[in-house]
Amino acid sequence: MQLYSTSYHRASSIEDAGKLLSGAEDGKFIAGGQTLIAALKQRLAQPSDLVDLRHIASMKGITVNGRQVTIGAAVTHAEVASSSAIRAVCPAICHLASLIGDPHVRHMGTIGGSVANDDPAADYPSAVLGLGATVVTNSREIAADDFFVGLFETALAEDEIITAIRFDAPEKAGYAKFANPASRYAMTGVFVAKSAGGDVRVAVTGAGSNGVFRHSGMEAALRANWSPDAVASQSVDASQMMSDIHGSSEYRANLVKVMAKRAVAAAG
């Protein structure tokens, strides 16, 4: 196997990270590396430089102010899962984080890396979209509805860095996931949230052929009747679902309904 060289840089600040990337021929940002390192091993990516964001202090930490939650992009899944401050206002996202991968992945992977990569089978995109969160970057703020564009595609510019995820904790929220038994990726995951004003959001990951998406029919049904039974009668278009060796599009369409019912039940 032919080896190739990659230069490693540890950024000390967001500004430093930007300068390091701009000076690279073909640089990539790296945080926990749970996706990028695998891509490097498989030669799916061969960047000239890696700019490590994990040690930037301003991208760490969790702040809960009333019901507003701000999670630094460099916060690990394990930190979210174990955060008593978040659990007090939005236990659903703590539960979601606890289901990601295995202990190694949860202690290395970061929320910012997961959201920026937008893997169609990742868990966090459903929470960000389901909570109507704001993705904060080094140059702007992006609403969740505008952030996710398609498979592995987001609204981020190449040199843009996610610095935090911010959302207002809903009145109720729940997450249910049917995990691939080997990878623990979501074959289908559904995040549901109901705001104090009665608005409802239902976000689905792992199933859609174009990545994470909202199900408007389930949202309307739950606004009228917040119960697992409300989503049972809703149709899921199998032609819009992913089909692969792990499950057909029809199978995933059924999983969306099953996981949605479980998510609503978990939310209470």
Side-chain angles (χ1 to χ4, degrees), residues 21-35:
L21 189 75
S22 65
E25 178 183 347
D26 180 25
K28 295 285 186 185
F29 291 126
I30 186 170
Q34 297 308 289
T35 299

Side-chain angles (χ1 to χ4, degrees), residues 2-93:
Q2 184 178 1
L3 299 178
Y4 63 93
S5 62
T6 298
S7 297
Y8 170 84
H9 311 273
R10 177 184 289 191
S12 58
S13 67
I14 294 171
E15 294 75 14
D16 185 37
K19 291 177 181 178
L20 289 167
L21 189 75
S22 65
E25 178 183 347
D26 180 25
K28 295 285 186 185
F29 291 126
I30 186 170
Q34 297 308 289
T35 299
L36 183 54
I37 294 300
L40 293 173
K41 290 179 178 178
Q42 297 175 58
R43 301 297 191 264
L44 298 175
Q46 298 185 20
S48 62
D49 298 76
L50 291 177
V51 179
D52 192 343
L53 307 175
R54 290 178 301 166
H55 306 280
I56 298 177
S58 63
M59 291 174 60
K60 298 183 179 183
I62 294 168
T63 303
V64 178
N65 184 8
R67 297 194 66 81
Q68 186 179 84
V69 180
T70 303
I71 305 173
V75 171
T76 65
H77 312 321
E79 289 172 318
V80 173
S82 62
S83 171
S84 58
I86 298 178
R87 189 174 300 279
V89 295
C90 189
I93 197 169

Side-chain angles (χ1 to χ4, degrees), residues 58-146:
S58 63
M59 291 174 60
K60 298 183 179 183
I62 294 168
T63 303
V64 178
N65 184 8
R67 297 194 66 81
Q68 186 179 84
V69 180
T70 303
I71 305 173
V75 171
T76 65
H77 312 321
E79 289 172 318
V80 173
S82 62
S83 171
S84 58
I86 298 178
R87 189 174 300 279
V89 295
C90 189
I93 197 169
C94 299
H95 175 63
L96 177 150
S98 74
L99 300 177
I100 298 174
D102 54 30
H104 174 83
V105 169
R106 291 193 291 274
H107 281 86
M108 288 294 294
T110 64
I111 186 171
S114 176
V115 173
N117 188 55
D118 191 21
D119 189 304
D123 298 88
Y124 271 127
S126 68
V128 172
L129 190 59
L131 290 165
T134 298
V135 180
V136 183
T137 79
N138 57 326
S139 60
R140 56 179 171 155
E141 297 185 354
I142 310 170
D145 287 324
D146 300 323

